[in-house]
PDB file of all heavy atoms in Angstrom:
ATOM      1  N   THR A 319      11.418  93.670 -38.569  1.00 98.00           N
ATOM      2  CA  THR A 319      10.374  92.722 -38.144  1.00 98.00           C
ATOM      3  C   THR A 319      10.482  92.439 -36.642  1.00 98.00           C
ATOM      4  O   THR A 319      11.588  92.130 -36.152  1.00 98.00           O
ATOM      5  CB  THR A 319      10.483  91.394 -38.919  1.00 98.00           C
ATOM      6  OG1 THR A 319      10.343  91.692 -40.320  1.00 98.00           O
ATOM      7  CG2 THR A 319       9.497  90.347 -38.484  1.00 98.00           C
ATOM      8  N   ILE A 320       9.353  92.507 -35.953  1.00 98.00           N
ATOM      9  CA  ILE A 320       9.330  92.168 -34.509  1.00 98.00           C
ATOM     10  C   ILE A 320       8.509  90.843 -34.389  1.00 98.00           C
ATOM     11  O   ILE A 320       7.437  90.733 -34.952  1.00 98.00           O
ATOM     12  CB  ILE A 320       8.662  93.298 -33.671  1.00 98.00           C
ATOM     13  CG1 ILE A 320       9.506  94.551 -33.815  1.00 98.00           C
ATOM     14  CG2 ILE A 320       8.516  92.899 -32.229  1.00 98.00           C
ATOM     15  CD1 ILE A 320       8.897  95.798 -33.126  1.00 98.00           C
ATOM     16  N   LEU A 321       9.094  89.921 -33.648  1.00 98.00           N
ATOM     17  CA  LEU A 321       8.452  88.625 -33.428  1.00 98.00           C
ATOM     18  C   LEU A 321       8.081  88.393 -31.978  1.00 98.00           C
ATOM     19  O   LEU A 321       8.943  88.679 -31.106  1.00 98.00           O
ATOM     20  CB  LEU A 321       9.394  87.507 -33.901  1.00 98.00           C
ATOM     21  CG  LEU A 321       9.807  87.494 -35.371  1.00 98.00           C
ATOM     22  CD1 LEU A 321      10.945  86.498 -35.592  1.00 98.00           C
ATOM     23  CD2 LEU A 321       8.627  87.157 -36.285  1.00 98.00           C
ATOM     24  N   THR A 322       6.895  87.937 -31.751  1.00 98.00           N
ATOM     25  CA  THR A 322       6.493  87.577 -30.376  1.00 98.00           C
ATOM     26  C   THR A 322       6.226  86.034 -30.359  1.00 98.00           C
ATOM     27  O   THR A 322       6.303  85.417 -31.379  1.00 98.00           O
ATOM     28  CB  THR A 322       5.294  88.370 -29.912  1.00 98.00           C
ATOM     29  OG1 THR A 322       4.231  88.182 -30.874  1.00 98.00           O
ATOM     30  CG2 THR A 322       5.562  89.849 -29.781  1.00 98.00           C
ATOM     31  N   ASP A 323       5.880  85.536 -29.188  1.00 97.00           N
ATOM     32  CA  ASP A 323       5.603  84.097 -29.018  1.00 97.00           C
ATOM     33  C   ASP A 323       6.761  83.250 -29.547  1.00 97.00           C
ATOM     34  O   ASP A 323       6.536  82.293 -30.283  1.00 97.00           O
ATOM     35  CB  ASP A 323       4.300  83.685 -29.742  1.00 97.00           C
ATOM     36  CG  ASP A 323       3.112  84.570 -29.377  1.00 97.00           C
ATOM     37  OD1 ASP A 323       2.967  84.834 -28.167  1.00 97.00           O
ATOM     38  OD2 ASP A 323       2.370  84.971 -30.274  1.00 97.00           O
ATOM     39  N   VAL A 324       7.920  83.593 -29.126  1.00 98.00           N
ATOM     40  CA  VAL A 324       9.120  82.864 -29.665  1.00 98.00           C
ATOM     41  C   VAL A 324       9.545  81.820 -28.646  1.00 98.00           C
ATOM     42  O   VAL A 324       9.731  82.124 -27.441  1.00 98.00           O
ATOM     43  CB  VAL A 324      10.251  83.868 -29.916  1.00 98.00           C
ATOM     44  CG1 VAL A 324      11.534  83.134 -30.367  1.00 98.00           C
ATOM     45  CG2 VAL A 324       9.862  84.870 -30.977  1.00 98.00           C
ATOM     46  N   ASP A 325       9.715  80.610 -29.097  1.00 97.00           N
ATOM     47  CA  ASP A 325      10.135  79.488 -28.256  1.00 97.00           C
ATOM     48  C   ASP A 325      11.663  79.579 -28.112  1.00 97.00           C
ATOM     49  O   ASP A 325      12.380  79.630 -29.107  1.00 97.00           O
ATOM     50  CB  ASP A 325       9.737  78.176 -28.918  1.00 97.00           C
ATOM     51  CG  ASP A 325      10.063  76.973 -28.037  1.00 97.00           C
ATOM     52  OD1 ASP A 325      10.954  77.101 -27.169  1.00 97.00           O
ATOM     53  OD2 ASP A 325       9.435  75.935 -28.242  1.00 97.00           O
ATOM     54  N   PRO A 326      12.134  79.648 -26.855  1.00 98.00           N
ATOM     55  CA  PRO A 326      13.607  79.762 -26.668  1.00 98.00           C
ATOM     56  C   PRO A 326      14.419  78.602 -27.275  1.00 98.00           C
ATOM     57  O   PRO A 326      15.575  78.730 -27.510  1.00 98.00           O
ATOM     58  CB  PRO A 326      13.758  79.737 -25.135  1.00 98.00           C
ATOM     59  CG  PRO A 326      12.446  80.026 -24.590  1.00 98.00           C
ATOM     60  CD  PRO A 326      11.405  79.639 -25.600  1.00 98.00           C
ATOM     61  N   ARG A 327      13.725  77.492 -27.570  1.00 97.00           N
ATOM     62  CA  ARG A 327      14.426  76.348 -28.174  1.00 97.00           C
ATOM     63  C   ARG A 327      14.436  76.424 -29.676  1.00 97.00           C
ATOM     64  O   ARG A 327      15.073  75.631 -30.330  1.00 97.00           O
ATOM     65  CB  ARG A 327      13.770  75.028 -27.709  1.00 97.00           C
ATOM     66  CG  ARG A 327      13.986  74.717 -26.262  1.00 97.00           C
ATOM     67  CD  ARG A 327      13.004  73.670 -25.814  1.00 97.00           C
ATOM     68  NE  ARG A 327      11.641  74.188 -26.065  1.00 97.00           N
ATOM     69  CZ  ARG A 327      10.500  73.510 -25.742  1.00 97.00           C
ATOM     70  NH1 ARG A 327      10.556  72.347 -25.177  1.00 97.00           N
ATOM     71  NH2 ARG A 327       9.322  74.078 -26.021  1.00 97.00           N
ATOM     72  N   SER A 328      13.759  77.405 -30.264  1.00 98.00           N
ATOM     73  CA  SER A 328      13.685  77.484 -31.732  1.00 98.00           C
ATOM     74  C   SER A 328      14.993  77.951 -32.337  1.00 98.00           C
ATOM     75  O   SER A 328      15.864  78.504 -31.598  1.00 98.00           O
ATOM     76  CB  SER A 328      12.527  78.391 -32.136  1.00 98.00           C
ATOM     77  OG  SER A 328      12.767  79.686 -31.667  1.00 98.00           O
ATOM     78  N   GLU A 329      15.104  77.755 -33.661  1.00 98.00           N
ATOM     79  CA  GLU A 329      16.323  78.085 -34.341  1.00 98.00           C
ATOM     80  C   GLU A 329      16.751  79.578 -34.145  1.00 98.00           C
ATOM     81  O   GLU A 329      17.937  79.862 -33.908  1.00 98.00           O
ATOM     82  CB  GLU A 329      16.091  77.785 -35.846  1.00 98.00           C
ATOM     83  CG  GLU A 329      17.304  77.898 -36.749  1.00 98.00           C
ATOM     84  CD  GLU A 329      18.433  76.988 -36.369  1.00 98.00           C
ATOM     85  OE1 GLU A 329      18.210  75.947 -35.762  1.00 98.00           O
ATOM     86  OE2 GLU A 329      19.594  77.348 -36.679  1.00 98.00           O
ATOM     87  N   ILE A 330      15.765  80.444 -34.198  1.00 98.00           N
ATOM     88  CA  ILE A 330      16.099  81.898 -34.115  1.00 98.00           C
ATOM     89  C   ILE A 330      16.779  82.239 -32.785  1.00 98.00           C
ATOM     90  O   ILE A 330      17.563  83.186 -32.719  1.00 98.00           O
ATOM     91  CB  ILE A 330      14.883  82.813 -34.355  1.00 98.00           C
ATOM     92  CG1 ILE A 330      15.310  84.236 -34.641  1.00 98.00           C
ATOM     93  CG2 ILE A 330      13.909  82.755 -33.194  1.00 98.00           C
ATOM     94  CD1 ILE A 330      14.167  85.120 -35.141  1.00 98.00           C
ATOM     95  N   MET A 331      16.483  81.434 -31.755  1.00 98.00           N
ATOM     96  CA  MET A 331      17.065  81.704 -30.430  1.00 98.00           C
ATOM     97  C   MET A 331      18.362  80.927 -30.231  1.00 98.00           C
ATOM     98  O   MET A 331      18.934  80.927 -29.180  1.00 98.00           O
ATOM     99  CB  MET A 331      16.075  81.423 -29.318  1.00 98.00           C
ATOM    100  CG  MET A 331      14.964  82.482 -29.226  1.00 98.00           C
ATOM    101  SD  MET A 331      15.611  84.192 -29.129  1.00 98.00           S
ATOM    102  CE  MET A 331      16.472  84.169 -27.549  1.00 98.00           C
ATOM    103  N   ASN A 332      18.737  80.213 -31.271  1.00 97.00           N
ATOM    104  CA  ASN A 332      19.998  79.395 -31.084  1.00 97.00           C
ATOM    105  C   ASN A 332      21.041  79.692 -32.145  1.00 97.00           C
ATOM    106  O   ASN A 332      22.012  78.919 -32.268  1.00 97.00           O
ATOM    107  CB  ASN A 332      19.587  77.928 -31.114  1.00 97.00           C
ATOM    108  CG  ASN A 332      18.938  77.563 -29.792  1.00 97.00           C
ATOM    109  OD1 ASN A 332      19.595  77.494 -28.766  1.00 97.00           O
ATOM    110  ND2 ASN A 332      17.613  77.434 -29.783  1.00 97.00           N
ATOM    111  N   GLN A 333      20.841  80.766 -32.909  1.00 97.00           N
ATOM    112  CA  GLN A 333      21.958  81.246 -33.757  1.00 97.00           C
ATOM    113  C   GLN A 333      21.894  82.782 -33.763  1.00 97.00           C
ATOM    114  O   GLN A 333      20.834  83.381 -33.473  1.00 97.00           O
ATOM    115  CB  GLN A 333      21.900  80.710 -35.197  1.00 97.00           C
ATOM    116  CG  GLN A 333      20.618  81.109 -35.930  1.00 97.00           C
ATOM    117  CD  GLN A 333      20.745  80.813 -37.435  1.00 97.00           C
ATOM    118  OE1 GLN A 333      21.204  81.703 -38.197  1.00 97.00           O
ATOM    119  NE2 GLN A 333      20.333  79.637 -37.870  1.00 97.00           N
TER     120      GLN A 333
END
Side-chain angles (χ1 to χ4, degrees):
T319 300
I320 297 175
L321 297 169
T322 54
D323 307 318
V324 176
D325 184 336
R327 289 162 304 182
S328 61
E329 187 59 26
I330 196 169
M331 287 308 295
N332 286 288
Q333 61 167 271

